[in-house]
Amino acid sequence: METLLQQILNGLVVGSVYALVALGYTMVYGILGLINFAHGEVLMIGALSALTTISSLIGVAPDLPPLLLLAAGLLVAIPTCMTVAFLMERLAYRRLRGAPRLAPLITAIGVSFLLQTLAMIVWGRNYHTFPQLISTTPLQPIDGVFISPVQISIILVSALLMFALVTLVNRTRLGRAMRATAENHRVASLMGVDVNRIIALTFVLGAALAAVAGVMFASNYGIAHYAMGFMPGLKAFTAAVLGGIGNLAGAMLGGIVLGLVEAVGAGYIEDFTFGFLNSSYQDIFAFVILGAVLIFRPTGLLGERVSDRA
Amino acid sequence: MPSDGVKTLLRLAGVQVAYGAIEAVKGVDLELFAGEMVCLIGANGAGKTTTLNAIAGTLPLSGGSISYHEEDLARLPAHKRLRRGIALVPEGRGIFTRLTVEENLRMGAYIRKDADGVAADMARVFDMLPRIHERLHQVAGTLSGGEQQMLAIGRALLSRPRLLLLDEPSMGLAPLVVEKIFEVVQSVRQEGVSILLVEQNANLALEFAQRGYVMESGRIMLSGSGRELLANPAVRAAYLGEAS
């Protein structure tokens, strides 16, 4: 029982990070029909630019309180990621707007490689220790179940950001314009919407969430490096597909469900396979889910039926 | 022809539009005076919709020019043309099916900052189109074809246009609904909005419009007052379903 509870908690933590990243995938897909495979790299740039900021601040003023350092890291990481996303849309994807779908997809993979390589040049190939600015010392709210302050923060901050995003999309004039543009670019422009601006904004918003997710991810594992965006990017993409790509609620649900399945699965995989596989095989779950969803329910958990799209 | 002193609102001079190598509009000259209702009729594929889209700015010109209030529109993208007062109700209505009726109307008022004015205009739209009011919180995709057309017109009106471009508002609708829609269009015109109407239902269009242009294979073949065109044997034979 403790194992199950523990794995559910772990799943919620990882799932929150997946959910934040999945939102970026799903928003861009919703508005452009593009799977932005470079989105995971944005998470990486968020983590590493925060790391650089924090380390240099520590170098100058070692006595700054940890929370202030973290805030400074985020304050640099978020605009950096927003700029990266803005540039990738403006320079790479925009000119492919009318092209057959394969072209932007391959371009996205190219952008992903490009960003990884640039990050390798800037930050080197080594693993960097990400400072533990929020304590990772586990608390024990229930006997045998552990959760650290950094994990609690991840869950809370993710929930807050998701709430903010959903409010923005569903309750504001800008969000309405985003939804209208997602449905029909041409008619949105007839309403006076500058479609290019809305698309750029969608990329930038997704990137801001990915930046925060990157800092969370690095804080949780205490490590950052140039290729760290690949796996969470792929997992978040899986989460978006699982929830129904293009659907905000779906991305959040998909992220949480994927995190839970992975964590609970990792907790029991050894028992189920009689010791043949152990918890280091936990990545299996995401990709089994991805395959299963694509085969049996391509619209995902909350995806719309095709007829709704008219 | 309008009397002296009436200003030209919209002028198309030698307008050409091409889809790749295919020329859909091959040199259209057309004029619309302030306060007028003009219709553009012609068979399927004559280039009527293409012409309207070029005016609204969703298609680029391959030749000629469009001016509005003496301003050349060439460099103005669609979303800025709306700010000048040109609103298009597109063919097939272009409703945002996943947004509610109210959200659709608010999209119509997207460019406006005057909340009070929007609220007043919203109330006027509800007066004209009570059906829309009843369905305010419904997802727009669940509306009937006629309701969607009314919503599309109401939405366009919320931008406070000075020139309303209507693309086949009668398409696929029952005669009673069409009648209702043309009543609305008529009252919009009486409020001083100029209207350029594209219709396949030439009888109806010529009855309501002061002047008409007949388009064929990307060119204007004939123009004249609604009455003249209705009486023209060639028009009657080709577009009003009469044997010559």
Side-chain angles (χ1 to χ4, degrees), chain A residues 170 173-174 176-177 179-180 182-184 186-194 198 304 308-309, chain B residues 53 56 58 78-79 82-83 88 90 94-99 103 106-108 110-111 113 155:
Chain A
N170 288 330
R173 171 175 175 271
L174 197 65
R176 206 184 301 128
R179 284 180 290 139
E183 182 161 342
N184 192 329
R186 193 177 79 92
V187 179
S189 75
L190 290 174
M191 304 290 119
V193 176
D194 185 345
I198 294 289
E304 327 172 22
D308 289 347
R309 289 214 156 208
Chain B
N53 286 334
T58 58
H79 67 270
L82 184 77
R83 286 169 201 270
L88 167 66
I95 287 302
F96 298 115
T97 56
R98 286 178 269 170
L99 271 56
E103 287 176 327
R106 297 225 169 270
M107 281 311 297
Y110 179 77
I111 55 169
K113 307 269 186 243
R155 184 178 66 176

Side-chain angles (χ1 to χ4, degrees), chain B residues 122-145:
Chain B
M122 199 86 100
R124 280 187 22 225
V125 167
F126 295 151
D127 267 356
M128 266 192 293
L129 305 164
R131 289 286 285 282
I132 294 305
H133 195 193
E134 286 164 27
R135 304 188 187 282
L136 203 54
H137 301 293
Q138 218 165 303
V139 175
T142 62
L143 298 186
S144 72

Side-chain angles (χ1 to χ4, degrees), chain A residues 143-161:
Chain A
D143 262 354
V145 179
F146 298 90
I147 186 163
S148 65
V150 72
Q151 290 179 311
I152 297 173
S153 319
I154 288 175
I155 294 178
L156 291 181
V157 171
S158 304
L160 196 74
L161 286 176

Side-chain angles (χ1 to χ4, degrees), chain A:
Chain A
M1 193 60 205
E2 282 87 19
T3 320
L4 185 62
L5 259 177
Q6 181 67 59
Q7 296 307 341
I8 287 176
L9 268 182
N10 294 347
L12 275 180
V13 174
V14 192
S16 306
V17 178
Y18 292 160
L20 278 189
V21 184
L23 281 171
Y25 273 105
T26 227
M27 283 198 294
V28 165
Y29 184 86
I31 215 152
L32 275 188
L34 164 74
I35 311 261
N36 178 18
F37 273 119
H39 190 55
E41 264 43 80
V42 176
L43 173 148
M44 172 272 293
I45 288 171
L48 284 169
S49 56
L51 175 69
T52 303
T53 312
I54 293 167
S55 330
S56 36
L57 270 180
I58 291 179
V60 185
D63 301 327
L64 283 177
L67 276 182
L68 203 70
L69 286 170
L70 190 64
L74 283 169
L75 235 54
V76 172
I78 294 173
T80 304
C81 288
M82 287 169 123
T83 309
V84 167
F86 179 82
L87 289 177
M88 74 169 99
E89 192 276 327
R90 190 71 191 81
L91 301 178
Y93 302 140
R94 185 175 297 182
R95 55 194 73 215
L96 295 170
R97 202 74 64 72
R101 277 180 128 169
L102 199 56
L105 186 74
I106 292 169
T107 304
I109 295 170
V111 171
S112 171
F113 282 133
L114 177 75
L115 291 178
Q116 250 190 59
T117 311
L118 284 177
M120 192 171 77
I121 293 169
V122 174
W123 284 288
R125 300 177 57 183
N126 300 328
Y127 284 73
H128 302 279
T129 313
F130 198 89
Q132 317 253 300
L133 298 169
I134 299 179
S135 161
T136 48
T137 317
L139 310 171
Q140 204 174 163
I142 307 169
D143 262 354
V145 179
F146 298 90
I147 186 163
S148 65
V150 72
Q151 290 179 311
I152 297 173
S153 319
I154 288 175
I155 294 178
L156 291 181
V157 171
S158 304
L160 196 74
L161 286 176
M162 287 188 252
F163 176 77
L165 182 78
V166 169
T167 308
L168 171 75
V169 171
N170 288 330
R171 297 263 175 273
T172 66
R173 171 175 175 271
L174 197 65
R176 206 184 301 128
M178 287 174 69
R179 284 180 290 139
T181 305
E183 182 161 342
N184 192 329
H185 290 198
R186 193 177 79 92
V187 179
S189 75
L190 290 174
M191 304 290 119
V193 176
D194 185 345
V195 168
N196 282 331
R197 259 187 62 197
I198 294 289
I199 290 172
L201 187 92
T202 306
F203 272 86
V204 162
L205 266 177
L209 296 181
V212 179
V215 173
M216 288 174 167
F217 204 74
S219 303
N220 193 30
Y221 295 106
I223 257 173
H225 67 120
Y226 77 96
M228 68 179 281
F230 180 71
M231 205 37 118
L234 214 50
K235 298 273 182 69
F237 166 65
T238 305
V241 172
L242 171 63
I245 193 145
N247 182 318
L248 289 192
M252 297 185 277
L253 179 70
I256 301 290
V257 168
L258 184 65
L260 287 174
V261 169
E262 239 183 47
V264 173
Y268 291 98
I269 190 169
E270 227 171 321
D271 300 343
F272 283 147
T273 57
F274 306 103
F276 180 63
L277 297 177
N278 61 35
S279 64
S280 51
Y281 284 89
Q282 64 163 330
D283 291 343
I284 274 182
F285 296 103
F287 302 114
V288 168
I289 288 183
L290 181 59
V293 170
L294 289 177
I295 292 166
F296 297 111
R297 196 176 160 80
T299 56
L301 296 174
L302 301 184
E304 327 172 22
R305 275 158 296 150
V306 179
S307 63
D308 289 347
R309 289 214 156 208

